[in-house]
Amino acid sequence: METASSHDQGQVDLENITRTYIFTKRCFDFTASLVGLVLLSGVFFVIAVLIKLDDPHGKVFYSQTRLGQNGRDFQMWKFRSMVAGADKMVDNLLQKSEVEGAMFKIKDDPRITRVGRVLRKYSLDELPQLYNVLRGDMSLVGPRPPLPREVVDYTDYDRQRLAVVPGVTGLWQVSGRNELNFSEMVALDIQYINKACLSEDVRILLKTVMVVVHPKGAY
């Protein structure tokens, strides 16, 4: 499991994030997301049919307001994995969150559908975020974009994770995911930002493939 050193748990250092790195990363993100959307179009269709067969009352896709780089809000897309109207049930479930800190997660969330549980286990519900990557809202690799209500409870230290473009996957996802608490997630995000480079992005993408094939800590 990845761990954050005492140095990495301090302040974010953006000196390693050069214009060349940003440009190259964006070119790679655009190309990879475009190719991915084309090649996975058949998979999208199959998932869409399964979602409608399992719960015909809701939409196939689900969008949610998230905060990206420097706190800019955008609509993040997913395949719907919960029952229709799931957002209205959040207030009654907040006290059951199994992750400490400014993040809400329940292992056996009663709102998740049968198909949704499989999609989440293998991270297939995240595939529509390739569209967010294509648009530039997100990158393939980076800290996960938080909900506005989560950021309200952020400390100045926590807000450092908003210094870069958020990602579909990141160091947190390949280091334990929901088995880690919020403070550990933030420390890993800061560690990633301080070490960000193309080789690190490729390493995380390769580890993500292994995590998806052999899921652990996903719910």
Side-chain angles (χ1 to χ4, degrees):
M1 179 182 295
E2 305 281 349
T3 57
S5 69
S6 58
H7 172 74
D8 292 324
Q9 294 179 22
Q11 297 297 310
V12 160
D13 181 5
L14 299 177
E15 290 185 2
N16 59 312
I17 302 182
T18 64
R19 290 184 178 180
T20 300
Y21 168 68
I22 292 173
F23 176 76
T24 306
K25 182 182 176 78
R26 178 59 191 146
C27 289
F28 177 76
D29 283 340
F30 182 86
T31 303
S33 59
L34 181 60
V35 172
L37 286 169
V38 173
L39 295 181
L40 294 172
S41 57
V43 176
F44 273 58
F45 177 75
V46 172
I47 292 176
V49 171
L50 292 175
I51 290 173
K52 292 302 288 186
L53 288 175
D54 188 37
D55 183 12
H57 302 293
K59 298 179 179 179
V60 169
F61 297 103
Y62 168 78
S63 69
Q64 190 176 51
T65 300
R66 296 289 181 122
L67 298 186
Q69 186 176 25
N70 300 321
R72 182 182 67 84
D73 64 281
F74 68 96
Q75 292 298 306
M76 188 182 80
W77 290 90
K78 288 186 174 187
F79 278 118
R80 182 173 62 86
S81 60
M82 293 186 175
V83 297
D87 284 345
K88 299 177 181 178
M89 306 176 190
V90 172
D91 290 342
N92 295 327
L93 296 171
L94 285 174
Q95 69 276 12
K96 297 181 180 180
S97 179
E98 298 176 21
V99 180
E100 295 181 3
M103 187 166 57
F104 172 65
K105 288 285 184 179
I106 302 177
K107 187 172 185 179
D108 295 312
D109 196 319
R111 301 171 299 166
I112 300 177
T113 62
R114 290 174 297 174
V115 169
R117 200 164 297 280
V118 176
L119 295 179
R120 283 173 169 243
K121 181 178 181 180
Y122 294 98
S123 300
L124 296 173
D125 61 316
E126 312 281 1
L127 287 178
Q129 287 160 42
L130 289 173
Y131 173 68
N132 286 118
V133 176
L134 188 68
R135 282 173 46 88
D137 300 322
M138 299 175 66
S139 175
L140 289 176
V141 181
R144 285 298 290 170
L147 292 162
R149 62 174 166 78
E150 294 173 341
V151 176
V152 169
D153 296 324
Y154 274 18
T155 63
D156 289 341
Y157 168 74
D158 300 334
R159 285 181 178 274
Q160 294 182 107
R161 65 188 302 272
L162 301 177
V164 297
V165 178
V168 177
T169 187
L171 194 54
W172 168 63
Q173 286 91 331
V174 301
S175 305
R177 201 169 177 177
N178 293 321
E179 293 183 345
L180 304 179
N181 60 38
F182 176 73
S183 61
E184 289 172 323
M185 181 192 73
V186 174
L188 285 168
D189 285 339
I190 292 175
Q191 175 179 317
Y192 165 75
I193 294 171
N194 286 340
K195 295 181 177 180
C197 61
L198 289 177
S199 61
E200 177 70 0
D201 288 346
V202 171
R203 186 182 75 88
I204 291 173
L205 285 172
L206 293 176
K207 290 195 70 172
T208 298
V209 174
M210 298 304 299
V211 170
V212 170
V213 175
H214 302 288
K216 181 180 180 182
Y219 55 84

